[in-house]
Amino acid sequence: MAKINVLIFPAGEINAIELHDALSSCVNIQVFGASSVERHGKYVFQNYISNVPMINSPVFIDKFNELLITNKIDVVFPTHDSVADFFAANQDKIRAKIVVADSRTAAICRDKEKTYELFKNYDFCPQVFQEIKKYPLFIKPKQGQGAVGASLINNVNELPEDLSDYVICEYLPGIEYTVDCLTDLKGKLLFILPRSRERLLAGVTVCGQNEKLTEEIEKIAKIINNNLTFKGLWWFQIKKDINNKWKLLEISTRCAGTMCLSRAKGVNLPLLSVYIFMGYDNITILNNNYNIRMDRTLISRYEIDYKYKIVYIDFDDTITWNNGINLKVIWFLYQCQNLGIKVKLITKHIDDIYLTLEKLSISTNLFAEIIKLNPDDNKSNYIKPDKAIFIDNSYKERINVFQNLGIPVFDVDNIDVLMDWRM
């Protein structure tokens, strides 16, 4: 099966690392990273391209297309708002599919003044002031991201001298959510997941959890989706006003750095976006029925409210990877041994599984049982669901187990959810 080649550009920021983590362990995806300015990307991407011209360079499009053709890139993820805006305006000149909305949508999302103008007749749009009559209020750059330049203003002495590049809004004192979304090429909204923003670092959520999708939030998501033209992943932020009503902060068409929380629920928005742009039909959402909380410094850590005592795990392209061993999965298997959690290998491996394990120096003692199946067998028929989880790189196998047994299922990209970092 030919792999889909995906390029992340720029490749050094937090959301670029999330895209890498979401896609790099997928068996049918080959991930590339590219940057104009050296940051963290070269430490993460096995296939990394440096010294790409800046998007404002007159040779950028020609050089970028050379890069795409040389590496046979199918899909590109822009990771910065300005880059997404540029690609949206120049999609017809780029020699690959760009995971971005159309130029009108990108321009509106990039400018908060345009965003609020579009939604001014809806009750979720915050009050925007042309002149200041009372305090406190909130100012934010018309074009900006990560809360850079945004400020609470309590009196006239705190105002900047020039307000021409700012939007002046009502002060919203309540809690703040980000809402992850996914839209197909026909404009159908496939997925909505609100998540809290409890602690921030440089504008990025470093502590939060999934939250209930209320009718109010769902209505806001649908109105935004119906008034703009999204393709693939996107997100918006909301905050509660003094009357406990949700008000819109901003909308973005690029990957968010904390979409890892949606992925930890089983919904890999970057991967689903690749499939949408590649024209795959029948995109379905597998949203695991557990709640999850995320806390991180420079890496993500998870805690799920599901206590499992037994792990059923696949072999090919799950424990193995690129004719070798998936080191993160092996780490997890030894973690299970340390914690007294039973592991059962359930596989359709075509060769002698015991001989293959021996060749890879994997001890059979890691497994409480080895279940060898025929190619046409359903794995769900051989799994006892009590306090169990299932790990398999095959979506077909996961959906079958999930629908028939109702236990949490995990792709290889999702193994981080199960890691216990305590030592």
Side-chain angles (χ1 to χ4, degrees):
M1 179 175 59
K3 291 193 174 185
I4 303 170
N5 290 336
V6 177
L7 178 69
I8 315 301
F9 176 78
E13 302 299 339
I14 292 173
N15 60 341
I17 306 308
E18 164 53 20
L19 286 164
H20 170 274
D21 292 348
L23 299 172
S24 59
S25 59
C26 300
V27 67
N28 60 338
I29 303 289
Q30 183 78 16
V31 179
F32 295 75
S35 293
S36 304
V37 179
E38 287 297 334
R39 294 189 187 276
H40 194 65
K42 64 181 180 180
Y43 298 99
V44 176
F45 289 84
Q46 187 176 51
N47 303 300
Y48 183 72
I49 303 157
S50 58
N51 299 317
V52 178
M54 303 290 286
I55 59 171
N56 58 2
S57 167
V59 301
F60 172 80
I61 290 179
D62 289 340
K63 294 295 183 182
F64 195 74
N65 279 333
E66 287 179 16
L67 181 162
L68 299 177
I69 294 168
T70 300
N71 295 282
K72 299 179 181 179
I73 301 299
D74 300 296
V75 178
V76 177
F77 278 92
T79 60
H80 189 277
D81 289 318
S82 296
V83 176
D85 202 20
F86 175 87
F87 279 141
N90 293 278
Q91 290 185 58
D92 59 332
K93 301 175 185 177
I94 306 298
R95 300 287 294 274
K97 297 176 174 63
I98 312 294
V99 182
V100 72
D102 65 9
S103 57
R104 169 184 171 269
T105 297
I108 290 172
C109 293
R110 187 72 176 101
D111 190 317
K112 294 177 183 63
E113 187 174 53
K114 294 179 180 178
T115 299
Y116 296 151
E117 177 63 26
L118 177 64
F119 295 106
K120 65 182 180 181
N121 293 325
Y122 294 97
D123 59 2
F124 62 81
C125 186
Q127 296 182 62
V128 178
F129 307 112
Q130 300 304 317
E131 57 183 52
I132 298 172
K133 294 183 178 180
K134 64 178 181 178
Y135 297 92
L137 52 83
F138 204 82
I139 64 170
K140 60 185 78 175
K142 295 176 182 177
Q143 296 190 12
Q145 59 279 324
V148 176
S151 182
L152 171 64
I153 304 297
N154 292 294
N155 57 66
V156 66
N157 297 322
E158 296 177 355
L159 287 170
E161 292 184 6
D162 185 3
L163 286 171
S164 60
D165 292 328
Y166 289 87
V167 176
I168 307 170
C169 299
E170 64 174 304
Y171 171 55
L172 305 173
I175 58 174
E176 183 177 339
Y177 284 0
T178 295
V179 184
D180 293 337
C181 298
L182 183 76
T183 299
D184 68 14
L185 294 180
K186 297 179 181 179
K188 183 179 179 180
L189 186 57
L190 302 178
F191 175 71
I192 311 167
L193 185 136
R195 49 183 172 84
S196 60
R197 287 164 58 83
E198 298 175 26
R199 193 173 75 250
L200 306 181
L201 179 64
V204 176
T205 303
V206 293
C207 179
Q209 63 185 26
N210 66 288
E211 300 290 348
K212 182 181 178 181
L213 177 59
T214 64
E215 290 185 7
E216 184 182 3
I217 296 175
E218 184 176 16
K219 180 181 178 182
I220 294 171
K222 289 180 176 179
I223 290 172
I224 294 173
N225 189 70
N226 291 340
N227 279 271
L228 296 168
T229 307
F230 295 104
K231 292 178 285 185
L233 58 79
W234 57 282
W235 53 269
F236 63 96
Q237 288 179 343
I238 49 178
K239 205 169 189 296
K240 284 198 169 181
D241 65 11
I242 58 174
N243 298 312
N244 206 36
K245 292 292 185 180
W246 288 112
K247 295 295 181 71
L248 179 66
L249 295 180
E250 64 175 308
I251 311 168
S252 181
T253 64
R254 58 166 174 79
C255 178
T258 315
M259 278 183 173
C260 58
L261 205 151
S262 285
R263 183 162 60 88
K265 285 274 289 171
V267 186
N268 189 331
L269 294 175
L271 180 60
L272 292 173
S273 296
V274 170
Y275 289 161
I276 286 171
F277 275 80
M278 293 299 293
Y280 287 25
D281 294 325
N282 301 320
I283 298 295
T284 56
I285 304 299
L286 195 164
N287 188 0
N288 277 315
N289 55 355
Y290 53 70
N291 294 312
I292 191 161
R293 183 174 180 81
M294 182 274 296
D295 196 289
R296 63 182 173 185
T297 52
L298 297 179
I299 59 174
S300 301
R301 297 181 174 90
Y302 302 98
E303 180 184 16
I304 64 175
D305 60 355
Y306 182 86
K307 303 301 181 184
Y308 58 94
K309 294 296 183 181
I310 186 166
V311 175
Y312 291 86
I313 188 167
D314 174 52
F315 183 74
D316 296 296
D317 296 318
T318 300
I319 292 177
T320 65
W321 181 67
N322 280 358
N323 300 315
I325 297 172
N326 188 316
L327 299 180
K328 187 176 288 187
V329 174
I330 286 293
W331 179 359
F332 170 69
L333 295 182
Y334 277 101
Q335 172 185 296
C336 289
Q337 186 178 64
N338 290 343
L339 297 175
I341 296 172
K342 290 183 178 180
V343 177
K344 293 190 177 184
L345 182 62
I346 183 165
T347 178
K348 299 177 182 179
H349 187 62
I350 60 174
D351 297 322
D352 186 324
I353 184 62
Y354 292 92
L355 183 58
T356 303
L357 287 169
E358 183 179 354
K359 286 180 179 178
L360 292 172
S361 300
I362 300 175
S363 174
T364 56
N365 292 329
L366 281 172
F367 309 107
E369 184 181 0
I370 296 177
I371 306 169
K372 182 70 185 296
L373 304 182
N374 295 317
D376 295 332
D377 287 337
N378 286 326
K379 291 184 178 180
S380 59
N381 294 333
Y382 298 84
I383 294 174
K384 296 179 181 179
D386 184 40
K387 296 182 179 178
I389 63 171
F390 176 64
I391 305 171
D392 198 313
N393 75 295
S394 168
Y395 180 81
K396 181 180 178 181
E397 299 284 8
R398 296 197 311 277
I399 194 70
N400 179 267
V401 170
F402 182 80
Q403 291 178 342
N404 285 287
L405 302 179
I407 63 173
V409 297
F410 300 86
D411 196 351
V412 181
D413 74 277
N414 217 13
I415 203 78
D416 282 351
V417 175
L418 304 173
M419 290 295 191
D420 186 342
W421 297 90
R422 295 171 294 181
M423 295 182 66

